[in-house]
Amino acid sequence: MRYLPHTDEEIAAMLQKAGAMDLDDLFSGIPEDCRRGRDLDLPEPFTEWELNQHMAVLSGKMAVSPEYKIFLGAGSYEHYIPEVIKQLLARSEFYTAYTPYQPEISQGTLQAIYEYQTLTTRLLGLDVANASLYDGASGLAEALLMAIRITGRKKVAVAGSIHPFYRKVVQTYLAPTGCEIVEIPYLANGKTDLTRLPDLADLAGIAVQSPNFFGCIEDLDLIGREIHSDPKTLFVVTFTEPLAYGILKNPGSLGADIACGEGQSFGIPQSFGGPGLGMFAAKKRFMRNMPGRLVGKTKDENGNRGFVLTLATREQHIRREKATSNICSNQGLCATAAAMYMAALGRTGLRELARLNHDKAEYLKNQLQQAGFTIPFDTPTFNEFVVKFPAGFETTHKKLLAKKIVAGLDLSLYYPELIDHYLLSVTETSSKEDMDALIKEIQA
Amino acid sequence: MKAMTGTRGLVLNEPFLWEQGARGRTCFSMPRRDVDPCPLKDELVGQGPDFPDLSEVDLVRHYTRLSTWNFGVDTGMYPLGSCTMKYNPKINEKMASLPGFAGAHPLLPAELCQGVLKLMYDLEKYLAEITGLPAVTLQPAAGAHGELTGMLIFHAFFKARNQQRSKILIPDTAHGTNPASAALCGFKSIPVASNDQGVLAPEEVAELMDEETAGIMITNPNTLGLFEDNIKKIAGIVHAKGGLVYADGANMNAIMGIVDMSKSGVDILHLNLHKTFATPHGGGGPGSGPVCVTKNLEKFLPVPRVIHQNGDYTLTYDCPESIGKLHAFYGNFGVQIKAYSYILSMGAELKKASQLAVLNANYIKEELKSVFHLPYDRACMHECVFTDKFQKPYKVTTLDIAKRLMDYGFHPPTIYFPLVVHGALMIEPTETESKTSIDLFIAALKAIAKEARESPELLHEAPRNPKMRRLDETIAARKPCLAG
């Protein structure tokens, strides 16, 4: 086996030094009643060539672009990834390193993460960002736990227009804490209105997504001002599509105390939902309550600029049960990819790409409207939106699958009241031709 | 002695991204605009983030230079204890990047994603076979996320019995994340001291275990690199009081094909695919922390579950007693692909991997115990723990030894952990290091022990070869600067 370098002679010599008769003898301290009764029942080892073939068959059974035209977003977006990012991430000095516990020989990772933190604060308009969390959903759960820690209050509110899976993750994380979760219903225009929240008092935090699950851009400014009528309550803004902030006002400038969400759009393949990137930023005064790793700037003995993991006293290995989170490994390489992507686009490119996403989505939205379909939520959107199709569209949706078109996501699975409502996403990867074909096939 | 690999070379400085570039440069091939502009309302539009505009060459040079400041497994031996820094096979990287996997949308209808569902289903099956625990979830995104999953299952298990238990036993040789994971689920951790042999004594557990205690979180092999040989008895004690046994499987690399976790009395176990199953750690993730449980606890696993019926694979959310969801989708699938490829490449030779990992650690232990203090002088598993006791007279510490190892071309071991040992040096060589590289590592440590006696300043001033000298962590924490 090419990953096991030992020759028989070497094994014999090493066994002798270790004082063992054979390899089994090394395990003589393990009691009989803990041992397997039989050998591992796994497939015969594949050669590299067999593995290539086997995986080609499995991956060949997948419906992916460009063969399929997939108008699905809902928290995972198809964006072009520049080849430079793939090539640079493949530098194995980056990807075969561990968490940078030894800073003198980890400066590459550390500066890359420091730059990621910096670009993230600039994107979201906040003061400090961490080195990443697992994904957008667990990031939102951590944000609400953080609000609970800061305020000492035991109740949070989440908008019903937040991604349903994110709300589910929040429920899971909060279940053992005994904290109450209030859900804020969405309005007929697809947006959130705090006047629909029965009681604003005693809330640790209120979470709103923008653009929300329906693609609608929320009135964060207004919501923020209402939330801050109670100065203790934290305003948490979450997102699934960070590209939107290439053009939209950022959460920090609209009053967010914490902004957190999914960064997959920034140079990370969709990979069936993971690995993604939990982006997380907050106002400076909450820095010491933040979960996750932080990279900070410092100097070495010669006075040269360098970086280290810092504020570790918040963390599990020092504070144990009093830690701000239990997170250890995060999504370091994905954060590096996101920093590369933000840098590859730059301010100019990010803005142009965001405009292109918006304009293409508007094109499809208008074409659908002209074709007689309803756009139920009369609110500006970014690169996804909801369409109401005639009753029985389910059959058409199925028929389109056979034509290699995935015409959005059936929202009734998550919102039973939204029968025949579909969420469609359009990014820079959808051409006008693809969109025209979609309209044509829907009408056929 | 063969020449050490550590040396100096040309290292280039590199400014921050935002200190470079010029407005109007670009590194992105902008897709064609084939629709008309359709401006957003002014009140929604912001100024856009203050990012630098760089060229493609700017970006390539930047990250290439940064990468040269890093030490990875591909650079050299990385004996970081309890982190299992084994070689990350290249073919697995290619497998994860196949367009059918990398381009898969997580909400595709089941009939359009049979390939990934089959992969996940089979990977669960293989992990069940390797651990002996029959039901598996791949959803947790890292080891600590797996621990949280396990603790949520503890919580749900007692809730289903209308019980609320407030405490959990955590040995002093467990991983550092364990108490934090337990605290997230409201369990107060009760420390359990290991005995003079470095393992848990059943009497100690019996003394502490009661019906207010949810169970025990036990790392096996433990962080001293020792197999908890009383595990079965301990599990019996915990079970007799209605508790559950959680095993932290971060050290599974020692016992694949040898130990059956279910027979050992374990109810819940997490694995670290980025340790035992050779997926790269990425300089801090993404990892993957699948959780394996007994048949009794299967109903609590997170949703969705992959099921196989009538030849088709589907995802089901129909699990009323499930703890819920820990990740927006199905965890770090891209990492799961690499572990699956590794398992298929190794097959039953995984046992050999464990045997050689244990052989390497015992060999190092025997070679070095004359020059470094070995607090528990007994056969170890995949890692061995030394201390700086012999170097104390020369005012040389574990930190100095670790930093000096860099000059010789090695990544240092895990240091000052586990806490039960003062000044610990925790060495985990893994099976992918050959005798040649292990002998060189031993020679380096012997040379360092000699330097400690004869010229300790070499250690105090180490490292000298890397780009940076020792960094000031105190200032970093006292006056945090987290963004430029």
Side-chain angles (χ1 to χ4, degrees):
Chain A
M1 208 304 136
R2 64 195 184 284
Y3 310 142
L4 304 176
H6 299 63
T7 66
D8 290 343
E9 296 73 34
E10 287 170 334
I11 292 173
M14 293 171 85
L15 280 169
Q16 194 179 19
K17 182 75 200 179
M21 287 183 320
D22 53 29
L23 288 172
D24 288 331
D25 195 24
L26 292 166
F27 299 86
S28 57
I30 296 182
E32 206 48 50
D33 56 7
C34 295
R35 286 169 179 268
R36 298 177 62 90
R38 53 181 179 78
D39 289 339
L40 285 170
D41 182 14
L42 294 170
E44 276 290 298
F46 285 41
T47 64
E48 185 168 325
W49 327 114
E50 289 165 345
L51 187 68
N52 268 325
Q53 268 183 344
H54 173 76
M55 298 298 265
V57 171
L58 281 184
S59 64
K61 286 185 187 158
M62 299 297 300
V64 291
S65 177
E67 190 188 347
Y68 277 76
K69 305 300 170 198
I70 298 169
F71 295 91
L72 278 176
S76 176
Y77 302 92
E78 185 188 340
H79 290 293
Y80 288 123
I81 303 176
E83 187 60 27
V84 272
I85 295 183
K86 297 181 194 170
Q87 297 284 335
L88 291 170
L89 271 190
R91 299 277 312 184
S92 66
E93 296 91 335
F94 284 131
Y95 81 78
T96 72
Y98 203 74
T99 301
Y101 293 132
Q102 297 288 344
E104 297 85 352
I105 50 173
S106 311
Q107 287 298 306
T109 294
L110 286 161
Q111 182 168 330
I113 298 297
Y114 180 81
E115 291 176 340
Y116 161 79
Q117 290 175 181
T118 303
L119 297 180
T120 298
T121 58
R122 293 181 184 190
L123 179 80
L124 300 175
L126 286 157
D127 309 311
V128 285
N130 73 13
S132 76
L133 297 172
Y134 303 130
D135 73 339
S138 61
L140 176 59
E142 293 272 14
L144 291 169
L145 285 172
M146 178 172 153
I148 291 165
R149 261 194 322 272
I150 290 169
T151 60
R153 294 176 174 176
K154 300 281 275 177
K155 197 160 95 178
V156 296
V158 294
S161 55
I162 290 180
H163 196 303
F165 290 165
Y166 285 34
R167 282 181 282 131
K168 183 104 182 153
V169 172
V170 168
Q171 277 172 11
T172 307
Y173 266 72
L174 264 56
T177 66
C179 291
E180 189 189 342
I181 306 170
V182 187
E183 200 163 295
I184 314 168
Y186 62 89
L187 299 172
N189 62 6
K191 288 198 283 191
T192 303
D193 179 356
L194 292 194
T195 56
R196 298 283 293 269
L197 186 66
D199 183 11
L200 268 168
D202 295 330
L203 286 168
I206 298 177
V208 176
Q209 177 180 331
S210 186
N212 69 22
F213 186 63
F214 307 129
C216 298
I217 300 164
E218 296 273 10
D219 295 327
L220 294 181
D221 197 15
L222 201 70
I223 294 172
R225 270 183 276 141
E226 268 182 79
I227 290 174
H228 288 140
S229 64
D230 181 340
K232 261 187 101 175
T233 308
L234 268 69
F235 180 23
V236 178
V237 173
T238 188
F239 54 88
T240 59
E241 178 51 291
L243 181 62
Y245 299 128
I247 181 127
L248 299 182
K249 284 182 180 158
N250 63 50
S253 68
L254 301 173
D257 296 298
I258 303 173
C260 58
E262 177 57 54
Q264 173 269 324
S265 282
F266 283 175
I268 302 164
Q270 291 177 282
S271 274
F272 205 52
L277 170 67
M279 301 180 90
F280 195 102
K283 286 186 177 152
K284 188 157 192 179
R285 66 173 186 273
F286 303 122
M287 176 175 68
R288 286 175 198 274
N289 283 297
M290 274 174 62
R293 305 273 191 199
L294 296 168
V295 173
K297 196 167 81 167
T298 188
K299 286 189 158 85
D300 78 353
E301 285 172 354
N302 291 341
N304 292 320
R305 181 176 81 191
F307 306 90
V308 291
L309 289 174
T310 193
L311 297 181
T313 49
R314 301 164 301 116
E315 289 184 58
Q316 32 75 26
H317 58 283
I318 306 224
R319 273 205 112 189
R320 293 173 71 91
E321 62 266 29
K322 291 202 172 60
T324 55
S325 164
N326 73 332
I327 195 165
C328 192
S329 284
N330 48 50
Q331 304 283 115
L333 198 68
C334 303
T336 307
M340 288 175 180
Y341 186 85
M342 289 187 266
L345 279 152
R347 179 200 204 152
T348 313
L350 194 77
R351 208 168 175 74
E352 175 55 23
L353 189 68
R355 280 211 177 98
L356 194 55
N357 271 252
H358 170 261
D359 296 351
K360 284 186 178 245
E362 288 302 302
Y363 174 80
L364 182 62
K365 199 201 270 182
N366 289 333
Q367 293 299 110
L368 284 163
Q369 249 173 333
Q370 278 176 28
F373 303 109
T374 311
I375 304 297
F377 300 138
D378 181 22
T379 295
T381 55
F382 176 60
N383 66 359
E384 58 189 327
F385 56 88
V386 177
V387 193
K388 184 172 186 286
F389 288 113
F393 183 74
E394 212 183 324
T395 327
T396 313
H397 191 272
K398 271 219 151 62
K399 263 192 226 156
L400 291 182
L401 294 183
K403 298 197 162 176
K404 301 190 174 175
I405 296 174
V406 183
L409 183 71
D410 178 358
L411 286 180
S412 68
L413 298 168
Y414 312 101
Y415 297 87
E417 70 278 16
L418 297 180
I419 299 164
D420 301 318
H421 288 61
Y422 284 75
L423 180 66
L424 271 76
S425 168
V426 179
T427 71
E428 77 279 6
T429 64
S430 311
S431 67
K432 178 170 176 288
E433 200 185 336
D434 297 339
M435 294 190 273
D436 291 342
L438 172 69
I439 305 266
K440 202 175 133 215
E441 291 296 344
I442 289 176
Q443 287 176 307
Chain B
M1 190 168 83
K2 276 178 93 172
M4 288 295 161
T5 46
T7 181
R8 290 196 65 88
L10 178 63
V11 179
L12 281 74
N13 283 320
E14 177 64 11
F16 289 126
L17 283 166
W18 50 88
E19 292 168 349
Q20 306 182 51
R23 222 22 104 214
R25 275 191 198 165
T26 188
C27 174
F28 190 75
S29 171
M30 191 59 66
R32 204 171 302 286
R33 172 176 274 283
D34 51 6
V35 298
D36 292 332
C38 182
L40 270 157
K41 280 191 208 153
D42 278 350
E43 70 253 34
L44 297 173
V45 176
Q47 304 201 318
D50 183 16
F51 292 171
D53 286 355
L54 306 170
S55 72
E56 185 159 330
V57 177
D58 290 336
L59 194 82
V60 169
R61 293 251 166 87
H62 182 77
Y63 283 103
T64 303
R65 287 177 186 170
L66 256 53
S67 76
T68 63
W69 306 346
N70 252 18
F71 190 103
V73 172
D74 284 4
T75 316
M77 185 170 163
Y78 210 125
L80 199 61
S82 273
C83 297
T84 314
M85 295 299 281
K86 61 169 77 176
Y87 171 66
N88 310 130
K90 301 300 160 197
I91 186 71
N92 301 346
E93 298 301 307
K94 179 186 164 194
M95 297 296 108
S97 70
L98 290 172
F101 296 143
H105 193 285
L107 297 174
L108 281 174
E111 65 265 35
L112 297 186
C113 60
Q114 289 295 297
V116 301
L117 295 180
K118 178 176 164 51
L119 188 155
M120 290 170 77
Y121 186 85
D122 285 349
L123 178 57
E124 285 183 4
K125 206 171 63 184
Y126 299 150
L127 296 178
E129 168 63 16
I130 292 163
T131 59
L133 290 159
V136 181
T137 175
L138 304 172
Q139 199 174 114
H145 211 205
E147 291 173 24
L148 175 60
T149 307
M151 289 301 100
L152 287 165
I153 294 174
F154 267 51
H155 186 265
F157 171 84
F158 291 111
K159 202 173 168 206
R161 281 169 171 66
N162 283 321
Q163 288 180 31
Q164 205 178 1
R165 297 195 175 198
S166 57
K167 297 183 289 183
I168 191 152
L169 305 181
I170 301 188
D172 54 11
T173 50
H175 277 129
T177 43
N178 290 182
S181 302
L184 275 168
C185 295
F187 298 120
K188 182 179 179 334
S189 44
I190 307 295
V192 192
S194 45
N195 66 15
D196 58 0
Q197 291 294 299
V199 294
L200 287 180
E203 309 79 60
E204 193 76 21
V205 175
E207 185 110 334
L208 295 167
M209 185 65 205
D210 58 24
E211 277 159 14
E212 291 291 296
T213 304
I216 192 164
M217 284 185 100
I218 188 165
T219 302
N220 198 16
N222 68 26
T223 56
L224 290 167
L226 304 173
F227 189 80
E228 293 285 353
D229 47 11
N230 298 313
I231 176 97
K232 183 128 194 168
K233 251 187 212 148
I234 290 167
I237 293 163
V238 171
H239 289 150
K241 297 278 183 192
L244 294 173
V245 177
Y246 182 93
D248 179 323
N251 293 340
M252 191 73 197
N253 203 45
I255 52 177
M256 286 186 290
I258 293 151
V259 169
D260 182 321
M261 286 291 180
S262 176
K263 280 168 76 179
S264 311
V266 170
D267 300 295
I268 309 178
L269 167 94
H270 88 256
L271 297 167
N272 301 68
L273 299 187
H274 50 286
K275 296 180 181 178
T276 313
F277 297 95
T279 75
H281 196 261
S288 176
V291 167
C292 314
V293 301
T294 57
K295 204 80 201 154
N296 285 342
L297 297 177
E298 181 172 11
K299 60 187 175 193
F300 297 116
L301 288 178
V303 283
R305 308 285 322 282
V306 193
I307 50 172
H308 187 208
Q309 264 173 344
N310 312 321
D312 292 326
Y313 297 90
T314 43
L315 291 169
T316 178
Y317 283 86
D318 185 18
C319 310
E321 293 193 68
S322 161
I323 55 168
K325 238 170 146 14
L326 287 111
H327 186 273
F329 297 109
Y330 326 111
N332 286 340
F333 177 68
V335 179
Q336 297 163 22
I337 298 169
K338 298 176 195 180
Y340 173 84
S341 300
Y342 176 70
I343 292 171
L344 287 185
S345 302
M346 295 292 287
E349 283 203 68
L350 285 172
K351 180 179 179 182
K352 186 89 180 277
S354 284
Q355 289 175 324
L356 295 176
V358 171
L359 177 66
N360 278 354
N362 276 284
Y363 177 72
I364 289 174
K365 170 175 69 71
E366 289 305 311
E367 284 282 354
L368 288 178
K369 70 182 189 186
S370 58
V371 287
F372 291 99
H373 170 239
L374 181 69
Y376 297 93
D377 189 0
R378 48 179 291 198
C380 65
M381 301 302 290
H382 64 304
E383 59 195 2
C384 53
V385 178
F386 294 99
T387 83
D388 55 3
K389 194 174 171 186
F390 295 169
Q391 284 69 39
K392 269 249 162 65
Y394 317 105
K395 298 201 164 44
V396 163
T397 65
T398 288
L399 186 70
D400 300 327
I401 297 164
K403 299 299 181 194
R404 185 64 179 149
L405 259 174
M406 295 177 189
D407 288 334
Y408 280 87
F410 296 92
H411 193 284
T414 294
I415 52 174
Y416 299 105
F417 193 85
L419 302 171
V420 276
V421 171
H422 188 77
L425 275 155
M426 185 200 216
I427 300 170
E428 180 182 8
T430 84
E431 74 281 3
T432 57
E433 291 305 322
S434 67
K435 182 170 182 294
T436 317
S437 66
I438 297 230
D439 281 339
L440 207 59
F441 175 72
I442 290 165
L445 271 169
K446 285 182 173 169
I448 291 170
K450 188 160 177 265
E451 287 172 350
R453 293 191 302 273
E454 295 170 0
S455 35
E457 69 283 357
L458 284 175
L459 279 80
H460 297 142
E461 289 164 10
R464 287 192 159 272
N465 281 343
K467 181 170 187 292
M468 307 299 293
R469 302 293 300 273
R470 285 192 206 187
L471 289 124
D472 191 336
E473 304 200 12
T474 315
I475 287 211
R478 197 170 292 158
K479 290 185 179 168
C481 175
L482 309 177

